[in-house]
PDB file of all heavy atoms in Angstrom:
ATOM      1  N   PRO A 376     -82.358 -40.542  94.732  1.00 85.00           N
ATOM      2  CA  PRO A 376     -81.599 -41.464  93.888  1.00 85.00           C
ATOM      3  C   PRO A 376     -80.739 -42.476  94.682  1.00 85.00           C
ATOM      4  O   PRO A 376     -80.509 -43.591  94.257  1.00 85.00           O
ATOM      5  CB  PRO A 376     -80.686 -40.534  93.060  1.00 85.00           C
ATOM      6  CG  PRO A 376     -80.644 -39.315  93.850  1.00 85.00           C
ATOM      7  CD  PRO A 376     -81.969 -39.123  94.534  1.00 85.00           C
ATOM      8  N   MET A 377     -80.324 -42.115  95.893  1.00 88.00           N
ATOM      9  CA  MET A 377     -79.466 -43.014  96.717  1.00 88.00           C
ATOM     10  C   MET A 377     -79.843 -42.821  98.187  1.00 88.00           C
ATOM     11  O   MET A 377     -79.997 -41.650  98.654  1.00 88.00           O
ATOM     12  CB  MET A 377     -78.029 -42.706  96.492  1.00 88.00           C
ATOM     13  CG  MET A 377     -77.071 -43.663  97.166  1.00 88.00           C
ATOM     14  SD  MET A 377     -75.343 -43.196  96.933  1.00 88.00           S
ATOM     15  CE  MET A 377     -75.269 -43.229  95.164  1.00 88.00           C
ATOM     16  N   GLN A 378     -79.992 -43.959  98.929  1.00 91.00           N
ATOM     17  CA  GLN A 378     -80.216 -43.879 100.334  1.00 91.00           C
ATOM     18  C   GLN A 378     -79.163 -44.720 101.078  1.00 91.00           C
ATOM     19  O   GLN A 378     -78.768 -45.802 100.576  1.00 91.00           O
ATOM     20  CB  GLN A 378     -81.602 -44.363 100.697  1.00 91.00           C
ATOM     21  CG  GLN A 378     -82.696 -43.477 100.231  1.00 91.00           C
ATOM     22  CD  GLN A 378     -84.091 -43.990 100.621  1.00 91.00           C
ATOM     23  OE1 GLN A 378     -84.403 -45.158 100.339  1.00 91.00           O
ATOM     24  NE2 GLN A 378     -84.908 -43.141 101.272  1.00 91.00           N
ATOM     25  N   PHE A 379     -78.714 -44.224 102.235  1.00 93.00           N
ATOM     26  CA  PHE A 379     -77.694 -44.959 102.987  1.00 93.00           C
ATOM     27  C   PHE A 379     -78.195 -45.020 104.481  1.00 93.00           C
ATOM     28  O   PHE A 379     -78.404 -44.039 105.131  1.00 93.00           O
ATOM     29  CB  PHE A 379     -76.345 -44.229 102.940  1.00 93.00           C
ATOM     30  CG  PHE A 379     -75.220 -44.893 103.627  1.00 93.00           C
ATOM     31  CD1 PHE A 379     -74.738 -46.133 103.172  1.00 93.00           C
ATOM     32  CD2 PHE A 379     -74.668 -44.272 104.773  1.00 93.00           C
ATOM     33  CE1 PHE A 379     -73.665 -46.736 103.853  1.00 93.00           C
ATOM     34  CE2 PHE A 379     -73.586 -44.917 105.435  1.00 93.00           C
ATOM     35  CZ  PHE A 379     -73.144 -46.098 104.933  1.00 93.00           C
ATOM     36  N   ARG A 380     -78.214 -46.284 105.032  1.00 94.00           N
ATOM     37  CA  ARG A 380     -78.643 -46.458 106.375  1.00 94.00           C
ATOM     38  C   ARG A 380     -77.436 -46.639 107.283  1.00 94.00           C
ATOM     39  O   ARG A 380     -76.489 -47.418 106.976  1.00 94.00           O
ATOM     40  CB  ARG A 380     -79.470 -47.788 106.360  1.00 94.00           C
ATOM     41  CG  ARG A 380     -80.192 -48.099 107.688  1.00 94.00           C
ATOM     42  CD  ARG A 380     -81.481 -47.292 107.814  1.00 94.00           C
ATOM     43  NE  ARG A 380     -82.290 -47.807 108.970  1.00 94.00           N
ATOM     44  CZ  ARG A 380     -83.137 -47.033 109.545  1.00 94.00           C
ATOM     45  NH1 ARG A 380     -83.419 -45.815 109.127  1.00 94.00           N
ATOM     46  NH2 ARG A 380     -83.840 -47.549 110.564  1.00 94.00           N
ATOM     47  N   TYR A 381     -77.404 -45.922 108.376  1.00 95.00           N
ATOM     48  CA  TYR A 381     -76.201 -45.941 109.257  1.00 95.00           C
ATOM     49  C   TYR A 381     -76.559 -45.596 110.703  1.00 95.00           C
ATOM     50  O   TYR A 381     -77.666 -45.122 111.022  1.00 95.00           O
ATOM     51  CB  TYR A 381     -75.173 -44.914 108.745  1.00 95.00           C
ATOM     52  CG  TYR A 381     -75.571 -43.492 108.948  1.00 95.00           C
ATOM     53  CD1 TYR A 381     -75.138 -42.781 110.098  1.00 95.00           C
ATOM     54  CD2 TYR A 381     -76.383 -42.824 108.046  1.00 95.00           C
ATOM     55  CE1 TYR A 381     -75.546 -41.465 110.295  1.00 95.00           C
ATOM     56  CE2 TYR A 381     -76.768 -41.511 108.250  1.00 95.00           C
ATOM     57  CZ  TYR A 381     -76.326 -40.823 109.352  1.00 95.00           C
ATOM     58  OH  TYR A 381     -76.694 -39.570 109.555  1.00 95.00           O
ATOM     59  N   ARG A 382     -75.531 -45.857 111.570  1.00 95.00           N
ATOM     60  CA  ARG A 382     -75.593 -45.426 112.980  1.00 95.00           C
ATOM     61  C   ARG A 382     -74.125 -45.324 113.492  1.00 95.00           C
ATOM     62  O   ARG A 382     -73.296 -46.184 113.112  1.00 95.00           O
ATOM     63  CB  ARG A 382     -76.381 -46.443 113.864  1.00 95.00           C
ATOM     64  CG  ARG A 382     -76.563 -45.965 115.307  1.00 95.00           C
ATOM     65  CD  ARG A 382     -77.285 -46.998 116.106  1.00 95.00           C
ATOM     66  NE  ARG A 382     -76.490 -48.241 116.328  1.00 95.00           N
ATOM     67  CZ  ARG A 382     -76.882 -49.277 117.022  1.00 95.00           C
ATOM     68  NH1 ARG A 382     -78.136 -49.320 117.506  1.00 95.00           N
ATOM     69  NH2 ARG A 382     -76.078 -50.323 117.201  1.00 95.00           N
ATOM     70  N   THR A 383     -73.828 -44.386 114.355  1.00 95.00           N
ATOM     71  CA  THR A 383     -72.516 -44.185 114.861  1.00 95.00           C
ATOM     72  C   THR A 383     -72.519 -44.210 116.406  1.00 95.00           C
ATOM     73  O   THR A 383     -73.615 -44.020 117.020  1.00 95.00           O
ATOM     74  CB  THR A 383     -71.902 -42.853 114.392  1.00 95.00           C
ATOM     75  OG1 THR A 383     -72.751 -41.798 114.855  1.00 95.00           O
ATOM     76  CG2 THR A 383     -71.735 -42.768 112.934  1.00 95.00           C
ATOM     77  N   GLY A 384     -71.352 -44.484 116.992  1.00 93.00           N
ATOM     78  CA  GLY A 384     -71.293 -44.538 118.458  1.00 93.00           C
ATOM     79  C   GLY A 384     -71.395 -43.151 119.092  1.00 93.00           C
ATOM     80  O   GLY A 384     -71.749 -43.077 120.291  1.00 93.00           O
ATOM     81  N   ASN A 385     -71.113 -42.043 118.373  1.00 94.00           N
ATOM     82  CA  ASN A 385     -71.133 -40.691 118.950  1.00 94.00           C
ATOM     83  C   ASN A 385     -71.840 -39.861 117.858  1.00 94.00           C
ATOM     84  O   ASN A 385     -71.647 -40.026 116.692  1.00 94.00           O
ATOM     85  CB  ASN A 385     -69.707 -40.201 119.234  1.00 94.00           C
ATOM     86  CG  ASN A 385     -69.759 -38.984 120.015  1.00 94.00           C
ATOM     87  OD1 ASN A 385     -70.144 -37.888 119.602  1.00 94.00           O
ATOM     88  ND2 ASN A 385     -69.273 -39.052 121.299  1.00 94.00           N
ATOM     89  N   ALA A 386     -72.542 -38.856 118.366  1.00 95.00           N
ATOM     90  CA  ALA A 386     -73.266 -37.940 117.392  1.00 95.00           C
ATOM     91  C   ALA A 386     -72.395 -36.927 116.835  1.00 95.00           C
ATOM     92  O   ALA A 386     -72.881 -36.164 115.906  1.00 95.00           O
ATOM     93  CB  ALA A 386     -74.481 -37.316 118.176  1.00 95.00           C
ATOM     94  N   SER A 387     -71.194 -36.794 117.282  1.00 95.00           N
ATOM     95  CA  SER A 387     -70.269 -35.783 116.735  1.00 95.00           C
ATOM     96  C   SER A 387     -69.435 -36.291 115.608  1.00 95.00           C
ATOM     97  O   SER A 387     -68.791 -37.343 115.691  1.00 95.00           O
ATOM     98  CB  SER A 387     -69.340 -35.201 117.856  1.00 95.00           C
ATOM     99  OG  SER A 387     -68.370 -34.388 117.324  1.00 95.00           O
ATOM    100  N   SER A 388     -69.413 -35.547 114.441  1.00 94.00           N
ATOM    101  CA  SER A 388     -68.643 -35.987 113.310  1.00 94.00           C
ATOM    102  C   SER A 388     -67.148 -35.814 113.548  1.00 94.00           C
ATOM    103  O   SER A 388     -66.301 -36.287 112.794  1.00 94.00           O
ATOM    104  CB  SER A 388     -69.082 -35.257 112.049  1.00 94.00           C
ATOM    105  OG  SER A 388     -68.857 -33.839 112.237  1.00 94.00           O
ATOM    106  N   ALA A 389     -66.794 -35.071 114.621  1.00 93.00           N
ATOM    107  CA  ALA A 389     -65.335 -34.932 114.961  1.00 93.00           C
ATOM    108  C   ALA A 389     -64.756 -36.171 115.608  1.00 93.00           C
ATOM    109  O   ALA A 389     -63.586 -36.361 115.654  1.00 93.00           O
ATOM    110  CB  ALA A 389     -65.199 -33.660 115.854  1.00 93.00           C
ATOM    111  N   VAL A 390     -65.712 -36.932 116.186  1.00 92.00           N
ATOM    112  CA  VAL A 390     -65.277 -38.167 116.844  1.00 92.00           C
ATOM    113  C   VAL A 390     -65.380 -39.379 115.928  1.00 92.00           C
ATOM    114  O   VAL A 390     -64.468 -40.201 115.872  1.00 92.00           O
ATOM    115  CB  VAL A 390     -66.151 -38.419 118.148  1.00 92.00           C
ATOM    116  CG1 VAL A 390     -65.798 -39.719 118.841  1.00 92.00           C
ATOM    117  CG2 VAL A 390     -65.955 -37.227 119.125  1.00 92.00           C
ATOM    118  N   ASN A 391     -66.526 -39.508 115.251  1.00 95.00           N
ATOM    119  CA  ASN A 391     -66.704 -40.607 114.278  1.00 95.00           C
ATOM    120  C   ASN A 391     -67.612 -40.071 113.162  1.00 95.00           C
ATOM    121  O   ASN A 391     -68.461 -39.226 113.428  1.00 95.00           O
ATOM    122  CB  ASN A 391     -67.249 -41.808 114.967  1.00 95.00           C
ATOM    123  CG  ASN A 391     -68.455 -41.573 115.807  1.00 95.00           C
ATOM    124  OD1 ASN A 391     -68.784 -42.363 116.679  1.00 95.00           O
ATOM    125  ND2 ASN A 391     -69.186 -40.426 115.640  1.00 95.00           N
ATOM    126  N   LYS A 392     -67.472 -40.647 111.993  1.00 94.00           N
ATOM    127  CA  LYS A 392     -68.322 -40.226 110.860  1.00 94.00           C
ATOM    128  C   LYS A 392     -68.267 -41.273 109.765  1.00 94.00           C
ATOM    129  O   LYS A 392     -67.369 -42.106 109.684  1.00 94.00           O
ATOM    130  CB  LYS A 392     -67.860 -38.875 110.349  1.00 94.00           C
ATOM    131  CG  LYS A 392     -66.484 -38.827 109.764  1.00 94.00           C
ATOM    132  CD  LYS A 392     -66.115 -37.464 109.252  1.00 94.00           C
ATOM    133  CE  LYS A 392     -64.634 -37.484 108.756  1.00 94.00           C
ATOM    134  NZ  LYS A 392     -64.208 -36.162 108.270  1.00 94.00           N
ATOM    135  N   LEU A 393     -69.252 -41.150 108.898  1.00 94.00           N
ATOM    136  CA  LEU A 393     -69.353 -42.014 107.709  1.00 94.00           C
ATOM    137  C   LEU A 393     -69.414 -41.144 106.461  1.00 94.00           C
ATOM    138  O   LEU A 393     -70.045 -40.088 106.531  1.00 94.00           O
ATOM    139  CB  LEU A 393     -70.594 -42.922 107.787  1.00 94.00           C
ATOM    140  CG  LEU A 393     -70.512 -44.061 108.841  1.00 94.00           C
ATOM    141  CD1 LEU A 393     -71.873 -44.311 109.438  1.00 94.00           C
ATOM    142  CD2 LEU A 393     -69.990 -45.270 108.173  1.00 94.00           C
ATOM    143  N   SER A 394     -68.776 -41.623 105.414  1.00 95.00           N
ATOM    144  CA  SER A 394     -68.796 -40.922 104.147  1.00 95.00           C
ATOM    145  C   SER A 394     -69.133 -41.870 103.017  1.00 95.00           C
ATOM    146  O   SER A 394     -68.698 -43.054 103.057  1.00 95.00           O
ATOM    147  CB  SER A 394     -67.463 -40.205 103.853  1.00 95.00           C
ATOM    148  OG  SER A 394     -67.177 -39.251 104.846  1.00 95.00           O
ATOM    149  N   VAL A 395     -69.878 -41.383 102.037  1.00 94.00           N
ATOM    150  CA  VAL A 395     -70.226 -42.247 100.846  1.00 94.00           C
ATOM    151  C   VAL A 395     -69.601 -41.578  99.598  1.00 94.00           C
ATOM    152  O   VAL A 395     -69.780 -40.383  99.420  1.00 94.00           O
ATOM    153  CB  VAL A 395     -71.764 -42.401 100.721  1.00 94.00           C
ATOM    154  CG1 VAL A 395     -72.136 -43.186  99.504  1.00 94.00           C
ATOM    155  CG2 VAL A 395     -72.368 -42.972 101.999  1.00 94.00           C
ATOM    156  N   ARG A 396     -68.917 -42.357  98.852  1.00 93.00           N
ATOM    157  CA  ARG A 396     -68.293 -41.837  97.626  1.00 93.00           C
ATOM    158  C   ARG A 396     -68.805 -42.665  96.449  1.00 93.00           C
ATOM    159  O   ARG A 396     -69.091 -43.862  96.578  1.00 93.00           O
ATOM    160  CB  ARG A 396     -66.785 -41.948  97.659  1.00 93.00           C
ATOM    161  CG  ARG A 396     -66.165 -41.206  98.851  1.00 93.00           C
ATOM    162  CD  ARG A 396     -66.105 -39.746  98.655  1.00 93.00           C
ATOM    163  NE  ARG A 396     -65.701 -39.030  99.827  1.00 93.00           N
ATOM    164  CZ  ARG A 396     -64.377 -38.891 100.168  1.00 93.00           C
ATOM    165  NH1 ARG A 396     -63.422 -39.338  99.418  1.00 93.00           N
ATOM    166  NH2 ARG A 396     -64.084 -38.171 101.272  1.00 93.00           N
ATOM    167  N   MET A 397     -68.979 -42.027  95.252  1.00 92.00           N
ATOM    168  CA  MET A 397     -69.378 -42.764  94.054  1.00 92.00           C
ATOM    169  C   MET A 397     -68.391 -42.372  92.901  1.00 92.00           C
ATOM    170  O   MET A 397     -68.055 -41.183  92.673  1.00 92.00           O
ATOM    171  CB  MET A 397     -70.817 -42.309  93.645  1.00 92.00           C
ATOM    172  CG  MET A 397     -71.268 -42.988  92.324  1.00 92.00           C
ATOM    173  SD  MET A 397     -72.920 -42.405  91.787  1.00 92.00           S
ATOM    174  CE  MET A 397     -73.953 -43.297  92.955  1.00 92.00           C
ATOM    175  N   LEU A 398     -68.012 -43.417  92.181  1.00 91.00           N
ATOM    176  CA  LEU A 398     -67.164 -43.261  91.018  1.00 91.00           C
ATOM    177  C   LEU A 398     -67.913 -43.786  89.805  1.00 91.00           C
ATOM    178  O   LEU A 398     -68.598 -44.821  89.910  1.00 91.00           O
ATOM    179  CB  LEU A 398     -65.796 -44.034  91.169  1.00 91.00           C
ATOM    180  CG  LEU A 398     -64.998 -43.683  92.434  1.00 91.00           C
ATOM    181  CD1 LEU A 398     -63.722 -44.550  92.468  1.00 91.00           C
ATOM    182  CD2 LEU A 398     -64.631 -42.179  92.479  1.00 91.00           C
ATOM    183  N   ASP A 399     -67.755 -43.140  88.679  1.00 88.00           N
ATOM    184  CA  ASP A 399     -68.380 -43.659  87.468  1.00 88.00           C
ATOM    185  C   ASP A 399     -67.508 -44.730  86.817  1.00 88.00           C
ATOM    186  O   ASP A 399     -66.459 -45.049  87.391  1.00 88.00           O
ATOM    187  CB  ASP A 399     -68.699 -42.505  86.530  1.00 88.00           C
ATOM    188  CG  ASP A 399     -67.464 -41.776  86.018  1.00 88.00           C
ATOM    189  OD1 ASP A 399     -66.341 -42.311  86.168  1.00 88.00           O
ATOM    190  OD2 ASP A 399     -67.633 -40.633  85.491  1.00 88.00           O
TER     191      ASP A 399
END
Side-chain angles (χ1 to χ4, degrees):
M377 185 183 302
Q378 291 180 311
F379 182 68
R380 188 83 169 155
Y381 70 94
R382 186 181 70 179
T383 58
N385 193 291
S387 173
S388 60
V390 176
N391 50 200
K392 62 182 178 180
L393 288 144
S394 298
V395 178
R396 304 284 173 84
M397 176 184 285
L398 305 179
D399 62 16

